[in-house]
Amino acid sequence: MKIAVLPGDGIGREVTAEAVKTLEFVGRRRSLSFDFEEAAVGGAALDAHGEPLPAASLALARQSGAVLLGAVGGPKWDEQPYDKRPERALLGLRKELELHVNLRPVKLIEALADRASLRSEVIRGCDMMIVRELTGGIYFGEPRLLERGDKGRWAVDTLVYHDWEIERVARLAFEIARKRRKRVHSVDKANILKSSMLWREVVEEVARDFTDVKLQHLLVDTCAMQILRDPLQFDVIVTENMFGDILSDEAAMLGGSIGLLPSASLGGRVAMYEPVHGSAPDIAGQGKANPVASILSAAMMLRHSFDRESEASAIETAVEQTLADGLRTADLVPAGEKAISTTEMGDAVRVRLEKLL
Ligand code: IPM
Ligand code: MG
C-alpha cells in the first residue's frame, strides 16, 4: 500500500507526521505494509523547486494507492503571482487526480460538547456529512482575470457547471444518504444563479432513482443559518464547490474545533486525504497544532482506499477515547490554560489504539 505523503506548509508537516506514525503503528499491529514516500507541494515546493506542484510530486501522487496531504499556504507566499501561489498545488492535485467529490464528516465528539460554540443541547448528537463538489464551479471556470486599465480595475471569475458534473456528485450523495439516515439537503442559490437552477434540476432528476431518500432544497444563506439554528436536522448536505468550502468551515465549529475535521477527496483512481484546516502559519512549528484531523483523515484513507474498515474505526474510537479522557491540544482549551502538544496528542491516541487493535 503505497502512500504519497505531501506535508505542504505550516502545521501541515507536524500534523501529517502524527498521521503517518499512526498508520505505521496500525501497520505493525496488523501486519500491513505501508510504503510512504514524501514529496513537496505548496510554498515548500515553490521554495525548493520553483513551482507549487512540481511534476515529480504529481507523478508520485499518481503512482500511489492514496495521497495524504497536510496543508498549503502562508503569508510568505502571499505576494506570489496567481500561478505560483501554494493553493494552486491543491487545486492542481484535485483537478489532475480527478477528485470531483469531497467528503467532510462533521460529528460532535460527546466529550467536546461543552467546547463547541453552540449550546450543548443544540449540538448533542450532531452527525452530518458534507458532500462538496470539488473540481467545478467558480474555482475552475474560465475566463478568470483581473484587469487594470485607465478606466479602473475590474475582475472576472466564472461559475460553470455541466449537468454531468452535478449528476455524479448528487448520485454519490444519495448513495451515502442511503447508508445513513436517508436525508439529503441540496444547497444552492437558485433564486439568483443560473448554475444553481441547473443544479436543482439535475438533483431532482437524480432523486427519482432514490425514492427512499428524502430530498430537500435549501438556499445557501438559509442553510448557513439552519446549520447554527438546528444542526441535528442535517444528515447529508450536497453542494457546489464554493458553497461547500464555506459551509464546511462553518459546520466544523459545531464539533468544537476545525482541528478535528478530516476529509476525503474521491472520484479518481487515487484518492486524497487531508484535514479541513489550513496551514495555520501563526502556530506552525510550535507543537500547538491538533493532529486529530490528520489522524482521522488517515482513518478515512484506510476505509475508502484500502478497504480496512475495522482499522479505520479503531482509529476513530481511539480518538474519541483520548478526548473523553480529557486530553486537549491548544485549540480545545480556554486561552491560557495548559494543553498538550501535537506529538503528545498523537502518542495518546496510539496508546489507546494499541488496546483496540
Ligand atoms: C479547503 C481550503 C481550500 C479550498 C483552499 C486552501 C484553496 O479552504 O480545502 O477548504 O478553498 O478549497
Ligand atoms: Mg476551506
Side-chain angles (χ1 to χ4, degrees), residues 82 88 91 94 132-142 144 157-161 240-246:
Y82 190 78
R88 300 313 304 166
L91 298 201
R94 289 172 182 172
R132 172 188 175 192
E133 199 290 328
L134 203 60
T135 50
I138 203 163
Y139 273 59
F140 291 95
E142 296 287 343
R144 61 181 60 247
D157 290 288
T158 305
L159 203 182
V160 197
Y161 269 109
E240 64 105 72
N241 206 341
M242 187 160 72
F243 297 161
D245 176 46
I246 298 167

Side-chain angles (χ1 to χ4, degrees), residues 236-257:
V236 173
I237 293 179
V238 61
T239 190
E240 64 105 72
N241 206 341
M242 187 160 72
F243 297 161
D245 176 46
I246 298 167
L247 294 177
S248 60
D249 267 30
E250 184 194 3
M253 291 316 292
L254 301 173
S257 165

Side-chain angles (χ1 to χ4, degrees), residues 62-206:
R62 280 194 208 283
Q63 291 152 16
S64 302
V67 179
L68 181 66
L69 189 111
V72 295
K76 183 177 173 198
W77 305 284
D78 274 351
E79 303 307 316
Q80 287 292 331
Y82 190 78
D83 288 331
K84 300 270 174 182
R85 292 185 59 95
E87 290 78 10
R88 300 313 304 166
L90 200 49
L91 298 201
L93 283 162
R94 289 172 182 172
K95 196 72 178 181
E96 293 298 327
L97 300 177
E98 297 173 43
L99 304 173
H100 55 257
V101 43
N102 184 223
L103 305 184
R104 299 188 163 182
V106 177
K107 193 170 172 187
L108 176 72
I109 294 177
E110 187 59 30
L112 294 174
D114 58 341
R115 265 301 301 162
S117 317
L118 295 186
R119 290 194 315 281
S120 62
E121 68 264 29
V122 177
I123 48 167
R124 198 152 261 144
C126 169
D127 178 5
M128 65 175 91
M129 177 68 85
I130 299 183
V131 180
R132 172 188 175 192
E133 199 290 328
L134 203 60
T135 50
I138 203 163
Y139 273 59
F140 291 95
E142 296 287 343
R144 61 181 60 247
L145 43 96
L146 169 52
E147 299 286 327
R148 298 164 203 279
D150 351 316
K151 297 220 179 67
R153 293 161 294 175
W154 61 294
V156 179
D157 290 288
T158 305
L159 203 182
V160 197
Y161 269 109
H162 292 97
D163 50 4
W164 48 270
E165 294 176 291
I166 302 167
E167 197 200 317
R168 63 189 179 186
V169 67
R171 204 161 277 286
L172 192 84
F174 279 99
E175 272 158 16
I176 291 170
R178 221 172 220 173
K179 297 193 200 122
R180 297 172 47 104
R181 301 193 305 278
K182 298 190 169 50
R183 291 207 59 157
V184 169
H185 283 88
S186 171
V187 177
D188 59 41
K189 188 72 183 170
N191 53 347
I192 296 288
L193 302 177
K194 294 278 183 185
S195 56
S196 280
M197 292 172 193
L198 179 63
W199 181 278
R200 207 173 264 222
E201 199 176 300
V202 175
V203 171
E204 287 282 342
E205 288 160 14
V206 172

